[in-house]
Amino acid sequence: MIEACLLVTLLGLISSSRSAKSLINPFQIYFFIWFFILFDYYIFSNTYIKFPEIFLIFFLFEKIIELIFLLVINKRSLLLRGNKISISFSESHRHLILFAQILVLIGLPLAYWRAMSLTSDANIFSSSGYVELRRSLTDGGKSYGIFGYFSILSYVVSSVSVFLYKYRYISLPRIILSVTCSLFYIYFGTGRTTFLLFLCLMAVPLIMMNVIKIKGLIAFILIFILVFIFVAGMTGKGISTSDDLLNNLKNLFNNLRSYTVAPLLAFSQLFSSSPAPEWGINTFRFIIAIANHLGIINIEPANLIKNYSFVPDPTNVYTVYAPYFRDFSYFGLAAPMIFLMAHYFIYRKAAKNGGAWVFYYAASVFPLFMQFFQDQYFSLFSMWLQIWFWFWLFAGNRKNILRDEAACA
């Protein structure tokens, strides 16, 4: 059965990659992720627990439906193949972006001050201080408060500033300053996936507009791997300066297992246990949290950190399927298909209209890419509202016609 799943996902990957011009379309990302996870499991299956057969049947059925939908799209030539996509910025947009960049710059030392207070003035640029900062943000349940909103704003500002620089609206030092601020905000957040979000916002619009090709995409992937290793070393997760190279590579490999195949195996165990439906407690956590805070309801929001499952590696993440399966049982398995259709809709709008839709699609690539790991859709609803608003404010209400001065740049 696992071979059939591999075959279907491979066919999906090939079918969605028929043209270099269709690079990074949602079907290509989707089928690549699941093929890679299944192939990884297939190669090292003797080191993992086995997938329940009934789970593989459901999983295969879903992937077949998605493959059929892709084939219909391909037949009608509805994937982007060389369409000219453009982004324009009015003078008011540029003034707003400058103001936002100033806000981000002012907020950076304040965010640093907050980070120091979270670690009782420990040096957050040392390994021990960084571990303490991460412990405060995760186990301690602390946060940056209002400064957390500056980080999202910073990523958006850097994303649109790349195009301001491309069209010669701003200078090179200004784009370097913007990206540097974003990297510091990412560092203060201590999360590796946050850097992936930032890369999506930076790289995807450039790829869609054919500024970055396959070599550039590979470069971005290598950068993410290096950052992943760096954060693993700073937080002591998989890498330690006290170990030799061989032990570090072994520990890093074991750490990667818990981030790749383990979540899908953990969900398959959850699937086999058939828990009673929780009817929206997980899916609508954001709404429940707000209502609880306002005193409208007396229901505590679901805990995002779940219990560990051993597959045999310990993991407490259960892929994108988990919250929707917990809430709606087998009907929840359709959630990734629905999300894939939504990704395709945004992708088509970006190809047709350009403008802010290009950035909307870039942001949507992050939860799509993270489907193998955990849900990043409804669980990060607040963040998506912020990202959507800022992109709408900085690049919205424009058609896919390049401004004359931009076209001459």
Side-chain angles (χ1 to χ4, degrees), residues 12 136 181 193 250 305 318:
S136 296
C181 286
T193 56
K250 180 181 177 181
I305 301 176
Y318 295 81

Side-chain angles (χ1 to χ4, degrees), residues 12 39 89 98 109 121 134 140 143 159 166 184 224 242 252 261 288 295 302 317 335 346 350-351:
F39 185 74
F89 298 94
L98 174 61
D121 293 328
R134 180 161 183 81
S143 71
S159 181
K166 178 180 182 295
F184 272 110
F224 174 72
S242 61
L252 182 62
V261 179
I288 292 172
V317 288
I346 300 172

Side-chain angles (χ1 to χ4, degrees), residues 133-197:
L133 176 60
R134 180 161 183 81
R135 185 181 296 115
S136 296
L137 294 172
T138 53
D139 300 338
K142 299 179 181 178
S143 71
Y144 281 94
I146 191 173
F147 301 120
Y149 296 102
F150 280 82
S151 60
I152 300 299
L153 176 59
S154 171
Y155 310 153
V156 172
V157 168
S158 292
S159 181
V160 295
S161 292
V162 168
F163 287 91
L164 291 181
Y165 173 71
K166 178 180 182 295
Y167 299 149
R168 299 182 183 177
Y169 287 130
I170 66 174
S171 62
L172 180 60
R174 184 172 155 188
I175 183 63
I176 292 175
L177 178 63
S178 182
V179 172
T180 302
C181 286
S182 296
L183 293 177
F184 272 110
Y185 278 111
I186 292 170
Y187 183 85
F188 294 156
T190 74
R192 282 166 279 192
T193 56
T194 307
F195 186 72
L196 177 61
L197 169 63

Side-chain angles (χ1 to χ4, degrees), residues 317-351:
V317 288
Y318 295 81
T319 76
V320 68
Y321 292 96
Y324 311 105
F325 180 75
R326 291 179 189 274
D327 283 342
F328 308 111
S329 189
Y330 299 105
F331 294 103
L333 297 177
M337 283 194 293
I338 297 172
F339 291 140
L340 184 57
M341 300 307 107
H343 285 293
Y344 174 68
F345 169 80
I346 300 172
Y347 172 81
R348 287 295 302 170
K349 294 287 287 186

